[in-house]
Amino acid sequence: MSEDSSSSLMVVLLETHSSMWIQADSQPADQRHLSAAGLLEQAVGFLNAFLLLSDANQLAVFCIHASTSHLLHLSPGLLQTRAKDKALMQDTLGLEIIARIQDIMQQPETDMGGRPALAGALSRALCFIRGQWGGSAEEGQRLKALGRAPPRLLTIASSQDAPQQYIPTMNAIFAAQKLGVVMDTCMAGPHESAYLQQAAHITGGQYLRPSKPGALLQYLLTLYLADTNTRKLLKYPPSPGIDFSASCFCHKNPIDMGFVCSVCLSIFCENVKECSTCGTKFDLL
Amino acid sequence: MDLISYLEGLPPSVVGALYSSPWTCRAVVRGIPPLAKQYVMRMVLLDQGVAEGVIDAWPKASARSQHATAMRKLGRLQLLTLVPKGQQASVLATLPPRDNERAFRLHPEVQRQLRKALVSGVAAQSQTLSQSVNRALPSSAQLEDHAVRQWEGLLSFLHGSTPQPPLLASEGPKPKLDIIKLLQSAQLQQGNRGKRELTASGFRFMLMDTYHQLWLLLRAYIDLAKNQSGAELASVVSFLLQLGGHEAAQPISLASMQANERDICADLALLGLLLPFRDGEGGSWACPTRLAMALGGSGSAEAQQEVSQGYIIVETNYRMYAYTSSTLQRAVLDLFVRCEAVLPNLYIGTLTRESVIAALAKGLDSEQLLTFLRRHAHPRALQRSPVVPEVVGDQMRLWQAQTRRLKSDAAQLYQQFGDVKVWRASVERAKELGIWLWDHEPSRRLAARVEGHPQMREFIRSQQ
């Protein structure tokens, strides 16, 4: 029991936001740049590799889309009814995911210009993990006492951080930390992501922005395939300097220095008379 | 015992042929240690070889022993092959490059199959079934029933609680498999028809998990098949593994198979791995049961859980409650538990010194007994940690240690030393050589291990 305690469930968040397609495909396709289709292809290769490694391994894939998050794939073992699993098992994993994405792209989006819903997708994935793993706080504690680790959460994103989502994203990260979920994050786009860096740092996962995105699959296989138990045996690259900068609560600007409420620790970029979060009056100034 | 150790013993040409099947590759990758899995996956996309120094740098310093095990396993399974000297140029080398460093690459066939699997997954071909087949499709309860009946029938025949090997009740091609011969060639049973008895490995077999039991029997089956019909080993193995790759209730059409595959199917139906049935138009089909799916698995704990429901609770007072109505499971427990009461759905017994030592005398091991108890623990018992109370586990280990208090060494006794000085020098010499066992001064006797006898003889002669 002790040796087999790591979880066999991996929850994956894949970014499928339209800006990713535009941004990725405007670049020439070579080692340095990865087309959106290439990104999907390589991510699916990684998912296949994960399923290949053990018959107990299970997968849940969600997409991070504009303002929404959809379920792309669920391993048959996680489904409730048999009828559903027959319907879903017709295609290979890759074809199924691509078909689902096409469906989603064709849906009339209520908010086409919306930013990728990273925070929403994270919350959804955490809710899903909570439902799968234990279901209640007591059950989770019991599993933890038995040495069972909760599922892993891997995020593959390529868009820049959206400062508006700072608070919900950080809340989701802290929730994951409390659950004991290890968050692996991979930034396939050209910009570093402070949020994803912090997510991996806080929850004990790995963050990576590949210097050669064209070889994404090799990075994924090397860094993210091992479960938490096997990781104890392998060397990992030292974490790079992590960008801990916060965003202010009033204008959502990323700041290096600001004002912090002495009661609730809310962050502001300018001196305010009253904390907008907890209502404390600062009459000293 | 399982697939992996079977493959380790095969010559390169045979293994090469086996690895050309995606099912074998999948089963092998699932069966190797976790660290070895990571190494394989790191190398799967690389076209060039990887220098040994690079691979050695992957694990942490604290994981040396696991690394050595993983590398040994990969080597023995021939998953890693040496890059020939001439092609060293295209190797991912350490910096700075060392002279004469060995370099490895994945077995080319395995690499090809794994790359394919990454692109498309190793899912069984899904097929559209006609209405008549769908209507005749056995329900999951029927499948389960068949698997349990055949497999338990086999085990209780092996154990001796039923006189006849299981027969195939359902329709379909008649199996040619001789169960008695199979059990004997697997060295689980000995004796002739009149008087059969379990061997020591047979006793151990009864306590194994289903996955290892299956593979042990199938290995014997593969060998039998090779001797009897000269069937191609590779085709038999990859067919078996392919079965394991099927989803439950995904029927296989017997009509599309070759004759030898159809024979295998019939034999496997007898073992409970397949359930044959006929569709409305008279076509022959077979449906894999959960036993067949266990084949392609890795035998991991979680996969095991699905194969069998736990039923055993062990208490700190050595009492054991087993919620089972199966005569087979009771018979297995009788091997090492003193039965106190049997109720319709409950078996109550005590782990006593006598019952456990009797089991140890039959060739079982206290660790095996404990693993058995843990593996079949009742879901309620699983919530405790440890699952089997520590005091019970320790006591069982102590009982085993007691049976091993005596140890025998082949020895040579030296006596009638004329001079006490010679005796003393001989004792010293024996201790120097590391073969000293016992000495007794008043009678001037000395016992030493027999392998040092020539040196001792020389020495004593030279002293006199």
Side-chain angles (χ1 to χ4, degrees), chain B residues 223-292:
Chain B
D223 288 341
L224 268 186
K226 202 169 59 176
N227 293 342
Q228 274 176 356
S229 57
E232 190 63 45
L233 176 83
S235 73
V236 177
V237 173
S238 74
F239 179 71
L240 287 177
L241 291 170
Q242 187 175 352
L243 271 185
H246 275 269
E247 293 298 321
Q250 264 268 353
I252 316 161
S253 166
L254 294 186
S256 62
M257 280 181 194
Q258 291 158 2
N260 69 333
E261 291 183 332
R262 231 171 290 161
D263 287 346
I264 300 176
C265 274
D267 293 343
L268 293 181
L270 182 61
L271 294 177
L273 276 78
L274 291 175
L275 175 59
F277 65 97
R278 280 180 192 284
D279 64 12
E281 289 141 23
S284 286
W285 295 78
C287 220
T289 66
R290 65 187 166 82
L291 285 177

Side-chain angles (χ1 to χ4, degrees), chain A residues 1 4 6 8 44-45 48-49 51-56 82 86 89-90 92-93 142 145-146 217-218 221-222 225-227 230-236, chain B residues 26 29-30 34-35 37-39 41-42 44-46 57-60 63 66 114 117-122 126 297-298 300-303 382-385:
Chain A
M1 192 109 278
D4 213 353
S6 72
S8 54
V44 167
N48 275 327
L51 292 178
L52 178 79
L53 283 194
S54 164
D55 54 338
R82 282 205 70 77
K86 281 223 167 110
M89 281 306 289
Q90 291 301 321
T92 62
L93 177 66
R142 194 181 65 67
L146 283 175
L217 182 53
Q218 182 68 46
L221 289 177
T222 311
L225 194 58
D227 58 32
T230 316
R231 284 187 195 188
K232 290 178 197 146
L233 307 177
L234 287 166
K235 279 184 204 155
Y236 278 93
Chain B
R26 185 176 78 162
V29 168
R30 286 184 175 183
L35 205 55
K37 285 183 191 179
Q38 298 301 324
Y39 294 172
M41 295 318 286
R42 284 180 178 197
V44 77
L45 296 176
L46 300 177
W58 284 342
K60 283 185 186 159
Q66 287 98 325
L114 288 183
L118 290 198
V119 175
S120 55
V122 204
S126 57
S298 54
S300 68
E302 275 169 67
L382 273 180
Q383 294 178 9
R384 301 186 306 221
S385 178

Side-chain angles (χ1 to χ4, degrees), chain B residues 96-394:
Chain B
R98 297 176 213 157
D99 288 339
N100 286 327
E101 190 172 25
R102 295 196 298 168
F104 295 103
R105 55 169 304 157
L106 271 190
H107 191 288
E109 205 50 61
V110 176
Q111 190 167 31
R112 215 162 57 85
Q113 294 298 342
L114 288 183
R115 283 184 186 180
K116 258 194 218 164
L118 290 198
V119 175
S120 55
V122 204
Q125 296 292 309
S126 57
Q127 45 190 349
T128 38
L129 299 169
S130 69
Q131 275 294 317
S132 63
V133 179
N134 259 333
R135 225 172 291 139
L137 210 61
S139 68
S140 56
Q142 275 172 316
L143 281 174
E144 178 68 28
D145 187 49
H146 174 74
V148 170
R149 193 176 53 236
Q150 298 302 123
W151 189 248
E152 297 213 336
L154 177 80
L155 290 182
S156 52
F157 171 69
L158 171 65
H159 176 259
S161 43
T162 50
Q164 287 297 320
L167 294 171
L168 199 55
S170 44
E171 49 194 310
K174 283 279 157 280
K176 296 178 183 156
L177 180 66
D178 183 349
I179 295 251
I180 298 175
K181 213 167 166 189
L182 178 70
L183 294 179
Q184 291 196 342
S185 73
Q187 294 178 334
L188 299 175
Q189 218 174 37
Q190 58 193 20
N192 50 22
R193 266 168 202 275
K195 191 167 155 279
R196 296 169 297 105
E197 54 183 25
L198 272 177
T199 60
S201 53
F203 275 110
R204 282 197 289 275
F205 179 81
M206 297 299 287
L207 293 189
M208 279 179 202
D209 58 63
T210 321
Y211 174 78
H212 286 100
Q213 283 177 336
L214 267 176
W215 270 112
L216 199 139
L217 270 189
L218 288 174
R219 259 179 84 163
Y221 176 75
I222 293 167
D223 288 341
L224 268 186
K226 202 169 59 176
N227 293 342
Q228 274 176 356
S229 57
E232 190 63 45
L233 176 83
S235 73
V236 177
V237 173
S238 74
F239 179 71
L240 287 177
L241 291 170
Q242 187 175 352
L243 271 185
H246 275 269
E247 293 298 321
Q250 264 268 353
I252 316 161
S253 166
L254 294 186
S256 62
M257 280 181 194
Q258 291 158 2
N260 69 333
E261 291 183 332
R262 231 171 290 161
D263 287 346
I264 300 176
C265 274
D267 293 343
L268 293 181
L270 182 61
L271 294 177
L273 276 78
L274 291 175
L275 175 59
F277 65 97
R278 280 180 192 284
D279 64 12
E281 289 141 23
S284 286
W285 295 78
C287 220
T289 66
R290 65 187 166 82
L291 285 177
M293 283 184 292
L295 274 187
S298 54
S300 68
E302 275 169 67
Q304 286 304 322
Q305 293 275 312
E306 287 166 27
V307 175
S308 58
Q309 237 329 305
Y311 54 93
I312 296 176
I313 297 177
V314 185
E315 294 193 330
T316 45
N317 56 3
Y318 302 92
R319 215 157 230 267
M320 204 202 69
Y321 302 90
Y323 288 87
T324 173
S325 48
S326 142
T327 44
L328 173 73
Q329 286 170 346
R330 287 176 182 173
V332 172
L333 291 174
D334 274 334
L335 292 176
F336 65 100
V337 182
R338 189 181 75 200
C339 176
E340 281 170 359
V342 175
L343 303 177
N345 70 337
L346 178 66
Y347 171 106
I348 305 171
T350 311
L351 288 158
T352 65
R353 184 169 182 276
E354 287 72 32
S355 69
V356 171
I357 286 192
L360 296 177
K362 284 173 194 152
L364 294 171
D365 191 73
S366 64
E367 280 310 318
Q368 276 170 335
L369 299 179
L370 284 172
T371 334
F372 178 83
L373 291 176
R374 265 182 230 128
R375 190 169 52 235
H376 295 288
H378 193 276
R380 280 292 183 83
L382 273 180
Q383 294 178 9
R384 301 186 306 221
S385 178
V387 177
V388 175
E390 236 164 299
V391 55
V392 177
D394 288 348

